[in-house]
Amino acid sequence: MDYKQLISQLVYDNLEALDLTQEQIKYYLSTPPQPDLGDFALPCFKLSKVLKNSPINIADSLARKINQKPLPAELDKINAVNGYLNFYLNRPKFIKDVVDGYKNGAPKTDLGQGRVICIDYSSINIAKHFHMGHLSTTAIGGSLYRIFNYLGYKSIGINHLGDFGTQFGKLICAYKMWSSPQKLEKNGLNELHELYTRYHKKANTNPELDDIAREWSKKIEQNDPEAVQIYQKFKEITLENIGKIYQRLGISFDSYLGESFFADKVGPVVQKLEQKNLIQISDGAKVVNLDKYDMPPCLILRSDGASLYATRDLAAAIYRKDTYDFYKCLYVVAYQQNLHFRQLFKVLELMGYEWAKDLVHVSYGMVSLEDGAMSTRGGKMVKLIDVLDKAVEKIKNIIKEKNPNAKDIDQIAEAVGVGAVIFSSLCNSKIKDIVFTWDRALNFEGESGPYLQYTHARCCSVLKKSGADYNNFLLPQSLQDVKADFDIDDNTWTLIKHIDAFFDKIVLAAQDYEPSIIANAIMDIAKGYNKFYFDYKILDDDPKIQKARLLITLAVKNCLKTGMELLLLKPIEQM
Ligand code: ARG
């Protein structure tokens, strides 16, 4: 039921202003700040100019006119207050509409019509640990992936691997000197990390190492079997290690084509740039001048002919358009790369690709830990796996304390602990820098993942206790028949409105590339429900009241479940 449509039609039918459209009126409708001022309001000063009358007169006369006839069943009351026309919904009818809409889960939609959304996210660097700094791109990207799929788009997850560059020559050089296949097998990523650190220490005083490293880099590019074999092993170890994290986070990718794949595909890109007269030579390097757009030049080829990060991204963007014919291509990358993406998109536009407008940099802020740890340099890097493990451990202890006989503690702690970490990165507007604190992330009573998990489990347990088969819950024909006994206070009413708004919030989250909109929406629902739960006896002795309250519980459960899944949290049924 589109209430704004209904209300604007009603106003329009009672207006004598022919140059106002119903759409305009619909657009003017607002939500009053308090429930006692109604559920929708028309601020009549917006009509003053057209109607050449004061807002108070307009509101009064509209109220008088509309009230002359019986109101539609959806509305309870209309009144005029200080130039505002306030509309009060018929609460039982509205509640019935809302719980009806959510009884089988959140509504389905085909808004996306199968259009493809490429999402470049996580995009890790080979031979590097997965640290806290990767959390946001992975969580935001993974969440957007699910949000777009939910809305009927087709998400394509791309892990644009950082697998190209001189560092791999250095790493092979270090490996040949100080390591072995056995050590590598045994220590995995830690071995690579140590080799890298050791190399840099040594190379400071032994510059000849860099010559050897350069040789290995060249050998990788020339497909030398030994170099390629060692390098592939590095890649394998990294992906295996990080794959375990992706599994825990519930994330997967459709493509792992990284920078090395595009390194030998930059030729045509450079040719095209030259054809379009976009290339200038600067100190022997090829660049695209972007003075006109207030940006430094975009470096395309170094003087030795080597491609750059941006060049490979140009080739990758063109490849993605050719391969997926995307509707949008998102890059979920930290704000440090704002300039890179502005340059990238501008160069593609100058090359004449009209789809350059469909590229979006989904930029986000930094996560740091409360003790300030974060930087990868100086050994202060914090591995994500350690944070996940610690979260799970802490949650396990909390659950054991609350409920020593709880079943499936390991499974529950894994879902709640991992969810807590993910949620801490998805609950704030993405562009903000955030500080991860254990207290906040794990607080069962605060705005946290565990709070959502707990509330969802609470709904499930209420439904289970009722004895109703809530997966196949049969709705009464109408909630109207419980109207007399079912007291709908303002808190309950606000809860229902939050549930009603949930679907629109998902659409908004996709529009703004902002999962935190969903996080806030389900947080409001969870808080509202907990208040409802403490204020009322859900399993009331009166079967009609009980049913109404169970139906609200079911709608809440369904919103929480869908919302949590869209935020990569696993909704568990008992805790
Ligand atoms: N690997 C890069 C980094 O760690 C991020 C890559 C983002 N994606 C892209 N297409 N540039 O900084």
Side-chain angles (χ1 to χ4, degrees), residues 274 334 348:
E274 273 167 347
L348 286 164

Side-chain angles (χ1 to χ4, degrees), residues 120 123-125 160 162 309 313 320 331 333 337 340-341:
D120 176 328
S123 298
I124 50 161
N125 299 324
H160 185 75
Y309 179 55
D313 251 336
R320 288 175 195 174
Y331 297 83
V333 185
Q337 297 194 27
H340 165 74
F341 286 106

Side-chain angles (χ1 to χ4, degrees), residues 152-351:
Y153 294 88
K154 167 116 194 67
S155 297
I156 301 283
I158 301 174
N159 201 320
H160 185 75
L161 296 179
D163 57 0
F164 184 85
T166 51
Q167 68 271 33
F168 298 107
K170 294 176 184 171
L171 212 48
I172 295 183
C173 165
Y175 170 77
K176 295 286 286 183
M177 281 187 299
W178 305 309
S179 189
S180 64
Q182 291 77 16
K183 272 188 172 172
L184 197 54
E185 201 59 55
K186 186 158 162 266
N187 304 329
L189 260 188
N190 286 333
E191 180 78 9
L192 294 177
H193 186 72
E194 255 157 50
L195 285 174
Y196 200 66
T197 320
R198 189 162 166 192
Y199 176 92
H200 277 279
K201 263 194 210 134
K202 286 271 176 202
N204 273 337
T205 45
N206 303 49
E208 71 278 5
L209 285 187
D210 282 338
D211 296 328
I212 305 175
R214 216 166 295 129
E215 276 308 304
W216 280 113
S217 286
K218 212 176 276 165
K219 281 188 182 170
I220 301 177
E221 273 174 57
Q222 291 161 347
N223 281 324
D224 169 86
E226 188 189 5
V228 169
Q229 190 254 330
I230 299 174
Y231 167 71
Q232 283 301 345
K233 190 74 201 159
F234 294 167
K235 209 163 161 171
E236 232 170 76
I237 286 174
T238 315
L239 289 177
E240 196 185 293
N241 182 291
I242 291 174
K244 286 185 198 139
I245 296 184
Y246 289 149
Q247 210 169 14
R248 289 178 77 177
L249 299 179
I251 277 173
S252 61
F253 295 88
D254 303 282
S255 162
Y256 276 93
L257 290 186
E259 293 190 46
S260 67
F261 178 82
F262 296 105
D264 61 7
K265 296 179 180 55
V266 300
V269 178
V270 180
Q271 262 173 21
K272 176 138 183 169
L273 284 164
E274 273 167 347
Q275 273 165 16
K276 293 246 165 192
N277 270 327
L278 290 167
I279 292 286
Q280 286 183 4
I281 306 293
S282 164
D283 288 336
K286 295 192 170 175
V287 308
V288 176
N289 186 304
L290 297 171
D291 279 352
K292 255 203 250 168
Y293 311 98
D294 263 339
M295 284 185 260
C298 181
L299 214 54
I300 301 293
L301 288 183
R302 282 204 312 243
S303 52
D304 64 1
S307 69
L308 288 113
Y309 179 55
T311 331
R312 298 187 286 276
D313 251 336
L314 288 170
I318 296 166
Y319 176 88
R320 288 175 195 174
K321 185 67 192 175
D322 288 346
T323 309
Y324 302 111
D325 192 22
F326 55 72
Y327 170 65
K328 297 263 183 228
C329 177
L330 317 183
Y331 297 83
V332 187
V333 185
Y335 63 58
Q336 277 84 349
Q337 297 194 27
N338 279 0
L339 175 64
H340 165 74
F341 286 106
R342 279 175 55 220
Q343 289 179 314
L344 181 70
F345 300 168
K346 183 50 85 180
V347 171
L348 286 164
E349 181 193 316
L350 294 173
M351 290 170 86

